[in-house]
Amino acid sequence: MKFVNTILAAALVAVSPTAVSAQMRALSDPVVPHPDPESLFSSSDPVLHRNKQAALHIQRELLKCNEWARAGEWLTDAYIQHNPVAASGLEGVIYYFVEIAKREPLNPCPALSAEDPNGVVAVMAEGDYVTILTRRIMPYADNPAESYTTTWFDTWRFVDGKADEHWDPATLPTAAPPQPTGVAAMNAEQLAQRMADREAIEARMWAYDRSLDNYDPEAYAANFTPNGAFGRTQGREALAQMIRDLAAGQEERRQQGVAIAKMHHFTMNQWLEFTGPNSARYHYYHQTVFGTGGAVGSATAPVVAAAGQGVDDLVKVDGEWLIQMRNVAPTREQE
């Protein structure tokens, strides 16, 4: 049956590549992570074992638990990148994840699990190189509420137990598709639908900021598609846990005597770009501010904790506009 499906898919591509791109479903078996991923990071060879253990720390402490302040323990200062949207250098890596993406460390840091969205499938080591194969969950273009799995890889070259060079299959983002219908060419019904879509998206982004400022994990996650993502945090449960961890971390600091004022997120200079009948891109500037009042220079004056530019992708699923990807640190190509 799989052979028949493959022949049918090939025939459809020959007839109508555009139509099949919107309708095709994965023909492959799903990618399944290893049931005990951390057991893969060992070797009887002492050099390979050291490199595999360093790769484990990168996968667990950095990529899963966001302990980027510790990145220098496992990455060299040079850290040569071959990902086209990432610059080389340890300082740049730390700055991006800590200051721009605002990744909050998980405490305690859990072990790698087969339940991780990017669960580890296999680990291979030879010479100075270690490659990790992981699952990647991808949404279907015509229905982002559904998804399929494929395989991602990361390869590192190690020097004295630290990663000095990195490869992965990332590519530069493609340009957004053109607007399907110009406003001038819309009829009354289409214009009314466009206005309704715009209002729904504005309401969604308002709900996003309010749920975040109120540390409401369930309401926050409900703003996303089931497999929606904020950076590398993907899926509603992982997104809800991110907010729980944020609230817990702040409460722990309060218990230590640190005064933390109320958080407010500001979204400004918005431009809503419709990229299709059921997809849109939300461009904006953003600020995160702690505090509600007080003169400049006073102890109660608002404090700007972060500022930057964002580009979010939204999709319309069963008549509801939801966030598919929240990107608060886009590259020039993504703007």
Side-chain angles (χ1 to χ4, degrees):
M1 179 60 71
K2 184 176 291 187
F3 175 76
V4 174
N5 286 341
T6 303
I7 298 300
L8 176 60
L12 286 171
V13 170
V15 173
S16 178
T18 302
V20 75
S21 67
Q23 300 175 14
M24 179 176 282
R25 288 299 180 265
L27 303 177
S28 57
D29 290 329
V31 177
V32 179
H34 192 278
D36 182 16
E38 297 207 358
S39 67
L40 302 175
F41 293 85
S42 63
S43 174
S44 58
D45 182 290
V47 174
L48 297 184
H49 183 76
R50 180 181 63 177
N51 292 343
K52 278 190 167 186
Q53 285 293 295
L56 171 60
H57 287 299
I58 294 171
Q59 190 72 21
R60 183 179 62 204
E61 276 82 0
L62 299 187
L63 297 180
K64 179 172 182 174
C65 296
N66 297 313
E67 296 181 358
W68 288 99
R70 302 179 59 191
E73 296 179 31
W74 307 294
L75 309 180
T76 66
D77 290 340
Y79 194 56
I80 303 166
Q81 275 281 18
H82 297 293
N83 178 317
V85 298
S88 297
L90 174 62
E91 289 187 5
V93 171
I94 295 175
Y95 180 82
Y96 172 80
F97 284 103
V98 175
E99 301 297 336
I100 303 299
K102 297 294 181 183
R103 295 290 172 79
E104 293 288 337
L106 298 181
N107 187 16
C109 179
L112 299 182
S113 165
E115 304 305 316
D116 294 336
N118 63 333
V120 175
V121 176
V123 180
M124 293 160 283
E126 182 175 356
D128 297 327
Y129 296 86
V130 175
T131 295
I132 302 178
L133 300 181
T134 53
R135 173 178 61 185
R136 175 150 289 195
I137 302 173
M138 302 295 294
Y140 283 110
D142 63 330
N143 186 0
E146 298 180 0
S147 61
Y148 63 97
T149 58
T150 186
T151 310
W152 183 266
F153 79 84
D154 288 283
T155 296
W156 289 277
R157 179 180 57 82
F158 287 88
V159 175
D160 297 328
K162 290 187 177 184
D164 189 60
E165 196 167 5
H166 171 252
W167 296 260
D168 65 29
T171 59
L172 289 173
T174 57
Q179 299 280 353
T181 307
V183 172
M186 289 184 177
N187 59 34
E189 183 178 355
Q190 291 170 328
L191 283 171
Q193 183 61 58
R194 175 60 57 87
M195 182 177 294
D197 287 336
R198 183 178 294 275
E199 290 181 353
I201 292 172
E202 289 176 352
R204 172 62 61 202
M205 303 315 293
W206 168 256
Y208 173 90
D209 282 342
R210 292 298 294 157
S211 61
L212 178 55
D213 290 341
N214 289 324
Y215 303 99
D216 188 333
E218 284 70 30
Y220 178 83
N223 291 306
F224 292 81
T225 62
N227 64 337
F230 183 111
R232 286 180 177 266
T233 304
Q234 185 174 37
R236 284 178 173 167
E237 178 52 37
L239 291 164
Q241 188 60 47
M242 180 178 73
I243 302 304
R244 295 187 195 105
D245 293 338
L246 176 61
Q250 293 206 355
E251 181 58 29
E252 181 179 352
R253 293 174 63 198
R254 288 191 180 95
Q255 295 297 326
Q256 296 171 353
V258 179
I260 302 176
K262 182 170 176 56
M263 179 171 64
H264 291 89
H265 283 80
F266 294 88
T267 305
M268 299 156 288
N269 296 66
Q270 301 95 326
W271 169 44
L272 183 57
E273 174 192 9
F274 285 92
T275 56
N278 295 307
S279 61
R281 184 159 289 169
Y282 192 71
H283 305 255
Y284 55 93
Y285 289 106
H286 61 83
Q287 283 186 343
T288 304
V289 178
F290 286 87
T292 56
V296 175
S298 70
T300 59
V303 176
V304 177
Q309 181 180 359
V311 179
D312 295 354
D313 288 309
L314 295 99
V315 293
K316 194 175 185 180
V317 181
D318 296 331
E320 184 179 20
W321 283 97
L322 298 169
I323 302 170
Q324 183 179 27
M325 170 60 74
R326 175 82 171 173
N327 185 357
V328 296
T331 63
R332 179 59 62 86
E333 292 79 9
Q334 295 170 316
E335 294 176 359

